[in-house]
Amino acid sequence: MVKAAFLGLGVMGYPMARHLKAKGHDVTVYNRTTARAEKWVSEHGGRLAATPLEAARGQEIVFACVGNDDDLRQVTLGDNGAFGGMGTGTVFVDHTTASATIARELSAAAMERGFAFLDAPVSGGQAGAENGQLTVMVGGEQGPFEAAQPVIMAFARACRLLGPAGSGQLAKMMNQICIAGVVQGLAEAIHFGKRSGLDIEAVIEVISKGAAQSWQMENRSRTMNAGTFDFGFAVDWMRKDLGIVLDEARQNGAHLPLTALVDQFYSDVQSMGGRRWDTSSLIARLER
Protein backbone atom coordinates (compact mmCIF):
# COMPACT_ATOMS: atom_id res chain seq x y z
CA MET A 1 0.00 0.00 0.00
CA VAL A 2 1.21 3.51 -0.81
CA LYS A 3 -0.05 6.96 0.04
CA ALA A 4 -1.26 8.45 -3.23
CA ALA A 5 -3.15 11.45 -4.53
CA PHE A 6 -5.19 11.64 -7.72
CA LEU A 7 -5.75 15.00 -9.40
CA GLY A 8 -8.58 15.15 -11.93
CA LEU A 9 -11.70 13.02 -11.66
CA GLY A 10 -13.04 13.14 -15.20
CA VAL A 11 -14.33 10.19 -17.19
CA MET A 12 -10.87 8.59 -17.00
CA GLY A 13 -9.56 9.75 -13.64
CA TYR A 14 -12.68 8.87 -11.66
CA PRO A 15 -12.46 5.09 -12.27
CA MET A 16 -8.66 5.09 -12.24
CA ALA A 17 -8.68 6.54 -8.73
CA ARG A 18 -11.35 4.01 -7.77
CA HIS A 19 -9.09 1.14 -8.81
CA LEU A 20 -6.27 2.55 -6.68
CA LYS A 21 -8.54 2.65 -3.64
CA ALA A 22 -9.91 -0.83 -4.36
CA LYS A 23 -6.34 -2.20 -4.38
CA GLY A 24 -5.85 -0.93 -0.84
CA HIS A 25 -3.90 2.26 -1.46
CA ASP A 26 -4.46 5.31 0.75
CA VAL A 27 -5.99 7.76 -1.73
CA THR A 28 -6.56 11.51 -1.54
CA VAL A 29 -8.42 13.14 -4.43
CA TYR A 30 -8.67 16.62 -5.88
CA ASN A 31 -10.95 17.86 -8.65
CA ARG A 32 -11.51 21.36 -9.97
CA THR A 33 -15.26 20.85 -9.50
CA THR A 34 -15.40 20.03 -5.81
CA ALA A 35 -18.80 18.36 -5.97
CA ARG A 36 -17.39 15.58 -8.12
CA ALA A 37 -14.58 14.92 -5.65
CA GLU A 38 -17.12 14.89 -2.83
CA LYS A 39 -19.15 12.31 -4.76
CA TRP A 40 -16.04 10.16 -5.27
CA VAL A 41 -15.21 10.20 -1.56
CA SER A 42 -18.80 9.41 -0.61
CA GLU A 43 -18.68 6.35 -2.88
CA HIS A 44 -15.17 5.08 -2.28
CA GLY A 45 -13.80 6.62 0.90
CA GLY A 46 -10.40 8.25 1.05
CA ARG A 47 -9.87 11.95 1.57
CA LEU A 48 -10.76 15.12 -0.27
CA ALA A 49 -8.22 17.93 -0.77
CA ALA A 50 -9.18 21.52 -1.49
CA THR A 51 -6.15 22.22 -3.71
CA PRO A 52 -3.53 20.22 -5.65
CA LEU A 53 -0.95 21.49 -3.16
CA GLU A 54 -2.90 20.06 -0.24
CA ALA A 55 -3.48 16.80 -2.10
CA ALA A 56 0.24 16.32 -2.80
CA ARG A 57 1.51 16.89 0.75
CA GLY A 58 2.73 13.72 2.42
CA GLN A 59 2.11 11.48 -0.60
CA GLU A 60 4.52 8.96 -2.08
CA ILE A 61 2.98 9.15 -5.56
CA VAL A 62 0.76 11.84 -7.08
CA PHE A 63 -1.25 10.97 -10.18
CA ALA A 64 -2.89 13.45 -12.54
CA CYS A 65 -5.29 13.11 -15.44
CA VAL A 66 -6.52 16.50 -16.62
CA GLY A 67 -7.51 18.09 -19.92
CA ASN A 68 -4.54 19.64 -21.69
CA ASP A 69 -1.16 21.36 -21.31
CA ASP A 70 -2.64 24.46 -19.69
CA ASP A 71 -4.65 22.43 -17.17
CA LEU A 72 -1.58 20.36 -16.35
CA ARG A 73 0.61 23.41 -15.88
CA GLN A 74 -2.02 24.91 -13.56
CA VAL A 75 -2.33 21.86 -11.28
CA THR A 76 1.44 21.44 -11.05
CA LEU A 77 3.05 24.89 -11.14
CA GLY A 78 0.11 27.24 -10.66
CA ASP A 79 -1.08 28.87 -7.46
CA ASN A 80 -1.49 26.04 -4.94
CA GLY A 81 0.01 23.64 -7.50
CA ALA A 82 0.96 20.10 -6.56
CA PHE A 83 4.69 20.60 -7.14
CA GLY A 84 4.77 22.85 -4.09
CA GLY A 85 3.67 19.94 -1.91
CA MET A 86 5.84 17.16 -3.34
CA GLY A 87 8.50 15.72 -1.06
CA THR A 88 12.04 14.70 -1.95
CA GLY A 89 12.17 11.28 -3.60
CA THR A 90 8.48 11.16 -4.44
CA VAL A 91 7.01 10.59 -7.93
CA PHE A 92 4.50 12.58 -9.96
CA VAL A 93 2.78 10.44 -12.63
CA ASP A 94 0.91 12.33 -15.34
CA HIS A 95 -1.73 10.40 -17.29
CA THR A 96 -2.91 13.43 -19.28
CA THR A 97 -2.56 13.24 -23.05
CA ALA A 98 -0.43 16.35 -23.50
CA SER A 99 2.56 17.56 -25.48
CA ALA A 100 6.06 16.15 -25.19
CA THR A 101 7.20 19.73 -24.62
CA ILE A 102 5.33 20.13 -21.35
CA ALA A 103 6.40 16.66 -20.24
CA ARG A 104 10.04 17.70 -20.58
CA GLU A 105 9.35 21.05 -18.92
CA LEU A 106 7.69 19.46 -15.90
CA SER A 107 10.32 16.73 -15.66
CA ALA A 108 13.02 19.41 -15.41
CA ALA A 109 11.00 21.38 -12.85
CA ALA A 110 10.50 18.24 -10.75
CA MET A 111 14.18 17.36 -10.88
CA GLU A 112 15.10 20.83 -9.61
CA ARG A 113 12.77 20.26 -6.65
CA GLY A 114 14.15 16.81 -5.79
CA PHE A 115 11.40 14.50 -7.02
CA ALA A 116 10.61 12.62 -10.25
CA PHE A 117 8.11 13.19 -13.03
CA LEU A 118 6.79 10.49 -15.37
CA ASP A 119 4.72 11.30 -18.45
CA ALA A 120 2.38 8.33 -18.70
CA PRO A 121 -0.53 8.83 -21.12
CA VAL A 122 -2.98 5.97 -21.45
CA SER A 123 -4.85 4.15 -24.19
CA GLY A 124 -8.03 2.14 -23.79
CA GLY A 125 -10.64 4.84 -23.41
CA GLN A 126 -13.36 5.08 -20.82
CA ALA A 127 -14.07 1.35 -20.97
CA GLY A 128 -10.41 0.58 -20.28
CA ALA A 129 -10.42 2.92 -17.31
CA GLU A 130 -13.64 1.45 -15.93
CA ASN A 131 -12.36 -2.11 -16.30
CA GLY A 132 -8.80 -1.44 -15.12
CA GLN A 133 -7.42 -2.49 -18.52
CA LEU A 134 -5.52 0.58 -19.71
CA THR A 135 -2.26 0.54 -21.65
CA VAL A 136 0.24 3.01 -20.18
CA MET A 137 3.13 4.50 -22.18
CA VAL A 138 5.78 6.03 -19.93
CA GLY A 139 8.61 8.50 -20.31
CA GLY A 140 11.11 9.17 -17.53
CA GLU A 141 13.85 7.56 -15.48
CA GLN A 142 14.12 3.86 -14.62
CA GLY A 143 14.14 4.18 -10.82
CA PRO A 144 10.96 6.25 -10.47
CA PHE A 145 9.28 4.04 -13.06
CA GLU A 146 10.08 0.92 -11.06
CA ALA A 147 8.61 2.57 -7.97
CA ALA A 148 5.41 3.65 -9.71
CA GLN A 149 4.77 0.75 -12.08
CA PRO A 150 3.29 -1.71 -9.53
CA VAL A 151 0.87 0.99 -8.38
CA ILE A 152 -0.07 1.96 -11.94
CA MET A 153 -1.00 -1.68 -12.56
CA ALA A 154 -4.03 -1.16 -10.32
CA PHE A 155 -5.79 0.20 -13.42
CA ALA A 156 -3.60 -1.10 -16.27
CA ARG A 157 -3.01 -4.29 -18.19
CA ALA A 158 0.28 -3.09 -19.67
CA CYS A 159 2.78 -0.43 -18.58
CA ARG A 160 6.18 0.11 -20.19
CA LEU A 161 8.98 2.64 -19.92
CA LEU A 162 9.79 3.81 -23.45
CA GLY A 163 12.57 6.35 -22.94
CA PRO A 164 13.37 9.69 -21.29
CA ALA A 165 10.92 12.45 -20.46
CA GLY A 166 8.46 13.05 -23.29
CA SER A 167 8.70 9.52 -24.66
CA GLY A 168 5.34 8.50 -23.23
CA GLN A 169 3.63 11.41 -24.94
CA LEU A 170 5.38 10.67 -28.23
CA ALA A 171 4.24 7.04 -28.02
CA LYS A 172 0.68 8.18 -27.40
CA MET A 173 0.93 10.33 -30.52
CA MET A 174 1.88 7.22 -32.50
CA ASN A 175 -1.13 5.48 -30.97
CA GLN A 176 -3.49 8.22 -32.13
CA ILE A 177 -1.94 8.30 -35.62
CA CYS A 178 -2.66 4.57 -35.94
CA ILE A 179 -6.22 4.91 -34.67
CA ALA A 180 -7.03 7.79 -37.03
CA GLY A 181 -6.03 5.81 -40.11
CA VAL A 182 -7.71 2.57 -39.04
CA VAL A 183 -11.03 4.23 -38.19
CA GLN A 184 -11.13 6.10 -41.50
CA GLY A 185 -10.36 2.90 -43.41
CA LEU A 186 -13.08 1.00 -41.54
CA ALA A 187 -15.57 3.82 -42.13
CA GLU A 188 -14.88 3.78 -45.86
CA ALA A 189 -15.13 -0.02 -46.04
CA ILE A 190 -18.51 -0.12 -44.30
CA HIS A 191 -19.79 2.78 -46.41
CA PHE A 192 -18.63 0.99 -49.56
CA GLY A 193 -20.24 -2.28 -48.49
CA LYS A 194 -23.57 -0.63 -47.75
CA ARG A 195 -23.58 1.09 -51.13
CA SER A 196 -22.85 -2.29 -52.72
CA GLY A 197 -25.79 -3.95 -50.98
CA LEU A 198 -23.71 -6.35 -48.92
CA ASP A 199 -24.66 -7.81 -45.54
CA ILE A 200 -22.18 -5.78 -43.50
CA GLU A 201 -22.22 -7.96 -40.40
CA ALA A 202 -21.64 -11.09 -42.47
CA VAL A 203 -18.75 -9.50 -44.32
CA ILE A 204 -17.18 -8.20 -41.11
CA GLU A 205 -17.46 -11.65 -39.54
CA VAL A 206 -15.41 -13.06 -42.41
CA ILE A 207 -12.80 -10.36 -42.96
CA SER A 208 -12.19 -9.91 -39.23
CA LYS A 209 -10.60 -13.36 -39.30
CA GLY A 210 -7.97 -12.18 -41.77
CA ALA A 211 -5.46 -9.40 -42.31
CA ALA A 212 -8.10 -6.65 -42.07
CA GLN A 213 -8.78 -7.44 -38.41
CA SER A 214 -8.38 -4.64 -35.87
CA TRP A 215 -9.65 -3.59 -32.44
CA GLN A 216 -11.81 -1.00 -34.16
CA MET A 217 -13.36 -3.62 -36.41
CA GLU A 218 -14.05 -5.95 -33.51
CA ASN A 219 -15.50 -3.27 -31.24
CA ARG A 220 -16.97 -0.55 -33.46
CA SER A 221 -18.03 -2.03 -36.82
CA ARG A 222 -21.55 -2.96 -35.69
CA THR A 223 -22.22 0.38 -34.04
CA MET A 224 -20.78 2.23 -37.02
CA ASN A 225 -23.08 0.25 -39.29
CA ALA A 226 -26.01 1.14 -37.02
CA GLY A 227 -25.07 4.82 -36.92
CA THR A 228 -24.71 5.00 -33.15
CA PHE A 229 -21.76 6.97 -31.82
CA ASP A 230 -21.95 7.14 -28.04
CA PHE A 231 -19.24 4.68 -27.10
CA GLY A 232 -16.47 6.55 -25.36
CA PHE A 233 -13.66 8.72 -26.72
CA ALA A 234 -15.21 11.91 -28.12
CA VAL A 235 -14.39 13.67 -31.39
CA ASP A 236 -13.44 16.84 -29.48
CA TRP A 237 -10.82 14.91 -27.54
CA MET A 238 -9.48 13.21 -30.66
CA ARG A 239 -9.07 16.57 -32.39
CA LYS A 240 -7.15 17.85 -29.36
CA ASP A 241 -4.86 14.82 -29.57
CA LEU A 242 -4.37 15.08 -33.33
CA GLY A 243 -3.56 18.77 -32.90
CA ILE A 244 -0.75 17.77 -30.53
CA VAL A 245 0.45 15.19 -33.06
CA LEU A 246 0.51 17.66 -35.94
CA ASP A 247 2.28 20.30 -33.83
CA GLU A 248 4.98 17.77 -32.94
CA ALA A 249 5.31 16.71 -36.58
CA ARG A 250 5.93 20.31 -37.59
CA GLN A 251 8.78 20.38 -35.07
CA ASN A 252 10.40 17.05 -35.92
CA GLY A 253 9.83 17.14 -39.68
CA ALA A 254 7.59 14.05 -39.86
CA HIS A 255 5.21 13.87 -42.84
CA LEU A 256 1.69 12.91 -41.74
CA PRO A 257 -0.62 13.49 -44.71
CA LEU A 258 -3.21 10.91 -43.68
CA THR A 259 -3.35 12.14 -40.10
CA ALA A 260 -3.82 15.74 -41.26
CA LEU A 261 -6.59 14.65 -43.61
CA VAL A 262 -8.44 12.65 -40.95
CA ASP A 263 -8.13 15.59 -38.56
CA GLN A 264 -10.03 17.65 -41.12
CA PHE A 265 -12.61 14.89 -41.47
CA TYR A 266 -13.16 15.08 -37.70
CA SER A 267 -13.59 18.84 -38.12
CA ASP A 268 -16.42 18.04 -40.56
CA VAL A 269 -17.99 15.76 -37.95
CA GLN A 270 -17.82 18.56 -35.39
CA SER A 271 -19.61 20.89 -37.82
CA MET A 272 -22.33 18.24 -38.17
CA GLY A 273 -23.01 18.47 -34.44
CA GLY A 274 -20.83 15.50 -33.53
CA ARG A 275 -18.44 17.07 -31.05
CA ARG A 276 -19.38 14.51 -28.39
CA TRP A 277 -19.85 11.56 -30.74
CA ASP A 278 -17.20 8.87 -30.44
CA THR A 279 -14.35 8.62 -32.93
CA SER A 280 -16.09 5.97 -35.05
CA SER A 281 -18.45 8.73 -36.25
CA LEU A 282 -16.16 9.34 -39.24
CA ILE A 283 -18.62 7.22 -41.18
CA ALA A 284 -21.35 9.81 -40.60
CA ARG A 285 -19.66 12.35 -42.89
CA LEU A 286 -19.57 9.76 -45.69
CA GLU A 287 -23.28 9.09 -45.39
CA ARG A 288 -24.58 12.65 -45.27
Side-chain angles (χ1 to χ4, degrees):
M1 186 186 76
V2 302
K3 294 186 66 178
F6 207 105
L7 315 178
L9 300 174
V11 295
M12 300 293 286
Y14 200 98
M16 291 164 76
R18 169 173 57 80
H19 284 296
L20 285 174
K21 190 69 172 64
K23 292 293 185 180
H25 300 297
D26 182 358
V27 180
T28 298
V29 295
Y30 164 80
N31 194 65
R32 184 165 50 188
T33 304
T34 305
R36 188 161 175 84
E38 291 172 342
K39 180 176 183 289
W40 191 94
V41 170
S42 71
E43 292 174 349
H44 306 298
R47 286 181 293 277
L48 166 67
T51 66
L53 175 64
E54 179 185 325
R57 284 195 180 118
Q59 310 297 345
E60 297 167 75
I61 302 178
V62 177
F63 296 91
C65 189
V66 295
N68 54 38
D69 284 24
D70 290 341
D71 295 331
L72 182 57
R73 192 174 281 109
Q74 182 62 38
V75 299
T76 54
L77 300 175
D79 294 339
N80 292 311
F83 277 20
M86 300 286 294
T88 302
T90 59
V91 184
F92 190 101
V93 181
D94 175 41
H95 294 301
T96 308
T97 295
S99 70
T101 299
I102 195 169
R104 298 181 187 112
E105 173 189 329
L106 294 180
S107 177
M111 188 178 300
E112 289 177 1
R113 292 164 170 80
F115 62 92
F117 177 92
L118 301 175
D119 54 291
V122 301
S123 180
Q126 185 175 351
E130 293 284 355
N131 297 325
Q133 293 291 302
L134 293 170
T135 298
V136 187
M137 299 150 272
V138 185
E141 298 299 320
Q142 185 71 36
F145 171 76
E146 291 178 356
Q149 192 262 355
V151 186
I152 293 171
M153 292 305 294
F155 46 77
R157 65 177 176 180
C159 177
R160 181 164 180 173
L161 182 65
L162 297 169
S167 299
Q169 296 297 350
L170 293 170
K172 179 62 182 287
M173 293 176 209
M174 288 180 62
N175 185 81
Q176 302 307 74
I177 292 167
C178 292
I179 289 172
V182 170
V183 175
Q184 178 62 21
L186 182 58
E188 292 185 13
I190 293 172
H191 174 65
F192 174 87
K194 291 169 76 171
R195 287 296 182 96
S196 301
L198 293 172
D199 180 333
I200 300 302
E201 291 199 10
V203 174
I204 293 294
E205 183 179 352
V206 173
I207 67 173
S208 66
K209 304 302 189 292
Q213 189 276 339
S214 68
W215 186 97
Q216 298 292 339
M217 182 176 287
E218 294 287 347
N219 291 274
R220 293 290 179 265
S221 59
R222 287 177 177 80
T223 57
M224 290 171 77
N225 187 39
T228 54
F229 309 119
D230 56 353
F231 295 92
F233 198 67
V235 168
D236 277 356
W237 301 340
M238 186 60 158
R239 284 218 73 204
K240 182 210 80 169
D241 290 2
L242 294 181
I244 292 170
V245 169
L246 294 170
D247 284 345
E248 185 68 29
R250 280 187 283 272
Q251 295 178 52
N252 69 19
H255 301 290
L256 306 178
L258 178 59
T259 303
L261 185 61
V262 175
D263 179 57
Q264 289 306 301
F265 291 164
Y266 278 124
S267 177
D268 293 343
V269 174
Q270 288 176 319
S271 69
M272 294 168 58
R275 301 176 68 92
R276 304 300 298 175
W277 294 348
D278 72 65
T279 51
S280 69
S281 58
L282 281 174
I283 194 171
R285 65 175 295 278
L286 300 174
E287 301 191 335
R288 288 179 290 185

